[in-house]
Every structure is written in structure tokens, then in C-alpha cells.
């Protein structure tokens, strides 16, 4: 029997549970590298980017150099890490801001994965190395204004015109839409839903930035308009048939969110702990009051449980693949708890908590989007409900 690690005076929330001992050396190194990048390169700019609602385009290349774009894919310039490492990278990025994790999720798990899993060799060699290095940016157009939770009803249509395809329709809420060089667009055809690789300089393609967002401000969100976009037959993703294809891409991105959301929670909690230790109220540190400690302890327990859940799902994914309802379990719980943690941390900061000087309210605002995108919490409840009862209650 080995003895426990020596006790410390003060623990960081995840240190308390010794979560690191569940990771191997490579996983710890990847997390530490991404954390350093977030601290040195992203954290200094994030409040200004959030306030001005921008995400500098040059970050794409820097994410590419860091090796996080499509990092869990093999070949074509991708790092080929395991799923847990990808999850940990998402957690570190989202500790900076959900906008950074969103960029990486959409690029790696939606744009790149759709081409990697369903594309022709020609499509893969043309796009994946450029997307992995960040020289090109991708987006993923599934949602429409009237068909978000129910993408099966999409109205975007692809028709055959001679040997070509003609696409018409509008996609809504598309991350990276105005930054993208290539869009994966899902459309109805006479043979069912199909996917298309659309270079964004194709005539008839345009993107409009969605302004006045209160959430995910350090991220570009757009409407995509496809007005008689004519594409060669080779633009179709040859192996994607039916709604299951885009939904399988969502599994990849949702997995990243299972981990990522906890980064926002961890950063909020660490910020709140530091603040309450130096803030005096009624002549002593705010951290010394029982009500404060109850909040901090409850949040630490939920954060720790969330990380154990994420790692459990990551290990299953690396071993044999994780089922959609298991990902729903993780996304539902971890985003819900992360949002609750970020909000509770904001209360501990009092008035200071409403400015961009501190991260919790920025994280909470971002997590409102994370709760909605990649399947709303209601969709994930229904997915778990279906797995438990056999009844699909979506419609
Ligand atoms: P349903 O009949 O259940 O399924 C249709 C076909 O798809 C298969 N399938 C899946 N395959 C892989 N993974 C999954 N998670 C799957 N879920 C279903 C299913 O087996 C079936 O295959 P087949 O061969 O029998 O045809 O479809 P439904 O129309 O009843 O819908 C089910 C529902 C509601 C769960 C689905 O539509 C859904 O997930 N809705 C939510 C939509 C959503 O999440 N959209 C996200 C858009 S992308 C985004 O938000 C990016 S955010 C940016 C960022 O990440 O930062
Ligand atoms: P709706 O589907 O209209 O839902 C409204 C409410 O009704 C929700 O609470 C929902 O849970 C509930 N509801 C719906 N159906 C049912 C039901 N059957 N039973 C009970 N309740 C129900 N999409 C992309 O394709 N690509 C992207 O890159 C992308 N990026 C995004 C970025 C941001 C910042 C945001 C906010 C969204 C993004 N989305 C993207 C879209 C996102 O996936 C959708 O917003 C989401 O799927 C919900 O769709 P909706 O907004 O149409 O809401």
C-alpha cells in the first residue's frame, strides 16, 4: 500500500481530487501546453475581444501551430492524439473563453471531421492540411432559422443541373461563417439529406455577421446565404447519406463540450476563490464565512464530478467509441453545472463581478449559448429519455 501525497495548506479545486493522476504523461503535457498558450496569448486580449465582438483571424494560424485543429484526427497534417487529449485541450481553451473552444470545435470536429469521415480522397487532400494548419478556416452549416433542434426539416435544397449541383437556401447561427474559406453545407436532395463542400468564394455564396449578441462575443456567428450556388459533382461528400451524417459530426463536437464547459467553470471558480480570499467584508476575508465556503465546496464537488464524468466518457471513446446518449448525458450535465457554477461565482464577486475585469459573468453569458448549441439541454434530456424508455418524444 502506498501513502497519500503530502497534504497542502490550500488546494486548487481539481488538485483536491488529484484528478491529474487519472491522466498519462502525454495528456498532462498537452493540457499544460494549451494552458500556457491560453495564459500568455489569449487571456491578455480576451476582455477586449469580447467587448468589441471580434476574434482576430490570425489566431487560426496560431491554433494550427499549437496543433489543436483536428488534433484527434489521423494524417493530413493532424496530430492524431487520443480523445481525452482533445477533451483536455478543449477544457484549457474554454478556461480562456468559450469562443476559443468554439473556434477549435467547429474547425476540427465539424468542418474537418465532416470531410475526414465523409469526404473523397481529393476533398481530404485539398482541405484537411490547410484546415489543420489554420491557413484555411472552415464552418458547418446545418441549422436554419426555423429548423434548429429539428434539422430533419431543413429547407436548403440541392438540385442536379446537368452534372453539377445547384444549392439554394439560408443557414443560421453559423460559427466562423464570415471567416470561413470553406463551408460544409447540409441540404435536402431527391435522395435525402446530403453534404457539400462549398468554397466560400463560389458565386452565390455570402455570409452576414449576426450582431448584438450577449453571448459568445469573442466568436463570429453568421447567416449563410446560398443563392444559386453551382458546384461540380465532386463537391458532394460521397459517403454522407441522410441526417445521421451531420449528427455523427455533432457527436465529435459535443464530446469536446463535455470537457470544454468545465474549463469555463474551473476558471470561474479559481477566480472566485482568489477574490474571496483577498476581499474583506465585515472586517474579515469573504472566504472565511461559512456561506461562502458552502458555495465554494459545492461548486468544487460539482466541478470534480463533471471532470470524472468527462474522463470516463473519454476513456470509453478511446477504447471502443462512445454512444450518442452517453454524450448527451455528459453534455447535459457538464454544461448545466458549468453554467450554475459560473453564475454562483459571479455572486461572490459582488458588483465587481459585472465587469469584464473578472471572468465568471463572461463565462456564464457564453455558457448560455453552449447550453443551446450542439443540441439544447431539452434535446439531450429527450435523447436520454429515449435510451431509457425506447420512446422517441422529440415529435
Ligand atoms: P432520428 O430519427 O433520431 O435520427 C436520424 C438518423 O440519424 C441517426 N442519429 C445519429 N447518428 C449519429 N449520432 C447521433 N447523435 C445521432 N442521432 C441520430 C439515427 O440513427 C438515424 O439514422 P438512420 O440511418 O436510421 O436514418 O432523427 P430526428 O429527426 O428524430 O432527430 C433527433 C434529434 C432531435 C436528436 C436530432 O435532430 C438532434 O440532435 N437535434 C439537435 C440539432 C443540433 O444539435 N444541432 C447542432 C448544430 S451545429 C452547432 O450547434 C455548432 S455550435 C458551434 C460550436 O460547437 O462551437
Ligand atoms: P429551437 O429549436 O427553436 O428551440 C427553442 C426552444 O424550444 C429550446 O428550449 C428547445 O429545447 C425547445 N424545443 C425544441 N423542440 C422541442 C421539443 N420537441 N420538445 C421540447 N422542447 C423543444 N448551428 C450550426 O449548424 N452550425 C454552427 O456553427 C452553429 N453555431 C452556433 C453558435 C451560436 C452562438 C449559437 C447560439 C447557435 C449555433 N448554432 C449552429 C445553432 C444551434 O445549434 C441552434 O441554435 C440549436 O440547435 C437550437 O436551435 P434553435 O435556436 O432553432 O432553437
Amino acid at each position: 500500500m502506498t501513502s497519500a501525497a503530502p497534504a497542502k495548506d490550500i488546494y486548487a479545486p481539481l488538485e483536491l481530487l488529484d484528478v491529474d493522476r487519472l491522466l498519462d504523461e502525454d495528456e498532462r503535457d498537452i493540457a499544460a501546453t494549451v494552458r500556457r498558450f491560453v495564459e500568455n496569448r489569449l487571456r491578455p486580449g480576451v476582455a477586449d475581444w469580447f467587448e468589441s465582438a471580434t476574434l482576430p483571424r490570425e489566431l487560426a494560424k496560431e491554433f494550427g501551430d499549437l496543433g489543436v485543429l483536428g488534433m484527434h484526427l489521423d494524417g493530413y497534417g493532424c496530430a492524431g492524439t487520443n480523445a481525452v487529449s482533445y477533451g483536455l485541450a478543449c477544457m484549457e481553451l474554454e478556461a480562456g473563453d468559450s469562443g476559443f473552444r468554439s473556434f477549435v470545435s467547429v474547425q476540427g470536429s465539424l468542418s474537418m471531421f465532416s470531410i475526414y469521415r465523409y469526404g473523397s480522397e481529393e476533398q481530404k487532400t485539398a482541405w484537411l492540411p490547410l484546415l489543420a494548419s489554420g491557413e484555411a478556416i472552415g464552418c458547418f452549416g446545418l441549422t436554419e432559422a426555423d429548423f434548429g433542434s429539428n434539422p430533419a426539416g431543413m429547407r436548403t435544397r440541392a438540385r442536379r443541373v446537368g452534372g453539377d449541383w445547384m444549392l439554394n437556401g439560408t443557414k443560421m447561427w453559423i460559427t466562423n461563417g464570415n471567416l470561413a474559406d470553406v463551408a460544409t453545407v447540409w441540404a435536402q436532395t431527391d435522395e435525402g439529406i446530403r453534404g457539400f463542400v462549398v468554397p466560400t468564394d463560389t458565386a452565390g455564396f455570402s455570409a452576414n455577421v449576426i450582431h448584438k449578441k450577449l453571448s459568445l462575443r469573442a466568436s463570429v456567428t453568421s447567416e449563410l446565404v446560398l443563392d444559386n450556388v453551382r458546384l461540380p459533382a465532386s463537391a458532394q461528400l460521397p459517403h454522407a447519406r441522410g441526417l445521421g451524417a451531420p449528427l455523427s459530426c455533432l457527436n465529435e463536437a459535443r464530446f469536446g463540450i463535455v470537457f470544454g464547459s468545465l474549463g469555463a467553470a474551473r476558471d470561474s471558480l479559481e477566480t472566485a476563490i482568489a477574490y474571496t480570499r483577498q476581499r474583506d467584508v465585515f472586517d474579515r476575508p469573504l472566504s472565511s464565512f461559512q456561506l461562502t465556503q458552502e458555495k465554494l465546496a459545492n461548486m468544487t464537488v460539482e466541478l470534480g464530478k463533471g471532470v470524472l464524468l468527462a474522463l470516463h466518457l473519454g476513456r470509453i471513446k478511446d477504447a471502443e467509441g462512445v454512444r450518442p446518449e452517453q454524450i448527451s448525458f455528459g453534455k447535459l450535465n457538464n454544461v448545466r453545472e458549468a453554467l450554475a457554477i459560473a453564475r454562483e461565482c459571479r455572486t461572490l464577486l459582488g458588483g465587481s463581478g459585472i465587469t469584464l475585469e473578472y471572468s465568471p459573468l463572461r463565462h456564464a453569458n457564453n455558457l448560455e449559448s453552449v447550453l443551446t448549441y450542439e443540441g439544447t439541454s431539452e434535446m439531450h434530456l429527450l435523447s436520454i429519455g429515449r435510451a431509457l424508455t425506447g420512446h422517441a418524444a422529440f415529435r
Side-chain angles (χ1 to χ4, degrees):
M1 211 172 79
T2 51
S3 56
K8 288 176 62 175
D9 287 343
I10 304 263
Y11 293 93
L14 292 176
E15 248 182 358
L16 190 142
L17 211 51
D18 280 345
V19 168
D20 266 7
R21 80 170 50 206
L22 299 174
L23 309 179
D24 69 26
E25 204 179 323
D26 286 348
E27 292 162 351
R28 280 196 290 266
D29 282 350
I30 288 171
T33 302
V34 179
R35 188 183 292 212
R36 270 194 305 277
F37 179 81
V38 170
E39 291 310 316
N40 298 335
R41 174 67 180 108
L42 301 179
R43 198 177 287 284
V46 67
D48 287 339
W49 298 329
F50 189 94
E51 189 163 42
S52 60
T54 48
L55 185 75
R57 194 192 161 91
E58 62 266 24
L59 285 179
K61 189 78 181 51
E62 296 178 46
F63 286 136
D65 292 344
L66 185 64
V68 293
L69 301 177
M71 63 189 277
H72 58 310
L73 309 179
D74 271 319
Y76 307 97
C78 304
T81 69
N82 67 0
V84 167
S85 296
Y86 169 58
L88 293 167
C90 288
M91 192 187 302
E92 297 305 332
L93 289 164
E94 199 150 355
D97 193 89
S98 301
F100 308 138
R101 198 270 309 136
S102 259
F103 183 95
V104 169
S105 287
V106 168
Q107 181 93 347
S109 284
L110 296 180
S111 167
M112 293 175 72
F113 184 81
S114 61
I115 296 171
Y116 179 84
R117 172 76 180 78
Y118 296 108
S120 63
E121 200 50 44
E122 184 192 356
Q123 289 165 338
K124 292 186 211 183
T125 46
W127 287 109
L128 292 179
L130 290 174
L131 291 163
S133 66
E135 287 165 77
I137 295 178
C139 71
F140 183 90
L142 177 65
T143 303
E144 298 180 5
D146 293 329
F147 299 96
S149 296
N150 178 24
M154 70 177 70
R155 297 226 172 92
T156 297
R157 180 102 207 151
R159 288 194 174 77
R160 288 188 192 273
V161 179
D164 292 347
W165 287 99
M166 186 78 87
L167 267 64
N168 278 288
T170 307
K171 297 288 176 180
M172 192 61 180
W173 303 116
I174 307 306
T175 301
N176 295 348
N178 278 77
L179 298 176
D181 302 288
V182 62
T184 296
V185 174
W186 300 95
Q188 300 280 5
T189 72
D190 288 343
E191 297 103 49
I193 290 173
R194 295 289 184 269
F196 297 87
V197 179
V198 185
T200 57
D201 58 3
T202 310
F205 181 99
S206 58
N208 304 307
V209 172
I210 298 173
H211 294 288
K212 299 188 176 174
K213 289 184 299 175
L214 295 170
S215 173
L216 256 291
R217 290 179 58 78
S219 172
V220 174
T221 317
S222 310
E223 174 195 53
L224 306 184
V225 179
L226 300 123
D227 181 11
N228 286 328
V229 171
R230 189 165 185 148
L231 299 167
S234 60
Q236 192 197 333
L237 289 169
H239 307 297
R241 297 186 177 274
L243 186 60
L247 293 182
S248 74
C249 303
L250 300 188
N251 292 337
E252 299 297 305
R254 289 168 177 171
F255 173 78
I257 291 171
V258 172
F259 278 82
S261 54
L262 299 172
R266 187 192 74 203
D267 186 63
S268 299
L269 184 50
E270 287 176 354
T271 301
I273 292 171
Y275 182 87
T276 58
R277 292 184 65 214
Q278 57 80 33
R279 171 77 173 167
D280 280 354
V281 293
F282 295 90
D283 304 321
R284 59 188 173 94
L286 177 54
S287 57
S288 68
F289 290 86
Q290 287 186 345
L291 280 176
T292 302
Q293 292 193 6
E294 182 191 34
K295 288 182 183 183
L296 296 178
N298 276 330
M299 291 190 283
T300 297
V301 168
E302 286 309 326
L303 177 66
K305 282 155 63 180
V307 172
L308 295 180
L309 170 57
L311 284 172
H312 172 64
L313 295 178
R315 296 296 175 214
I316 296 180
K317 185 162 163 56
D318 279 326
E320 71 255 18
V322 60
R323 295 193 301 276
E325 59 274 17
Q326 293 175 320
I327 292 183
S328 286
F329 188 129
K331 199 232 173 205
L332 173 69
N333 182 76
N334 286 5
V335 178
R336 193 163 64 183
E337 295 307 325
L339 178 55
I341 288 171
R343 282 179 182 153
E344 185 85 304
C345 288
R346 209 290 305 157
T347 69
L348 288 166
L349 298 172
S352 304
I354 71 150
T355 74
L356 278 170
E357 194 177 338
Y358 296 96
S359 64
L361 185 57
R362 174 169 53 79
H363 285 310
N365 277 5
N366 285 337
L367 288 164
E368 292 288 347
S369 286
V370 183
L371 194 70
T372 286
Y373 68 35
E374 292 291 356
T376 65
S377 38
E378 291 78 10
M379 290 305 107
H380 293 296
L381 285 166
L382 292 173
S383 158
I384 295 168
R386 174 169 63 182
L388 294 174
T389 66
H391 297 291
F394 302 102
R395 50 171 60 80

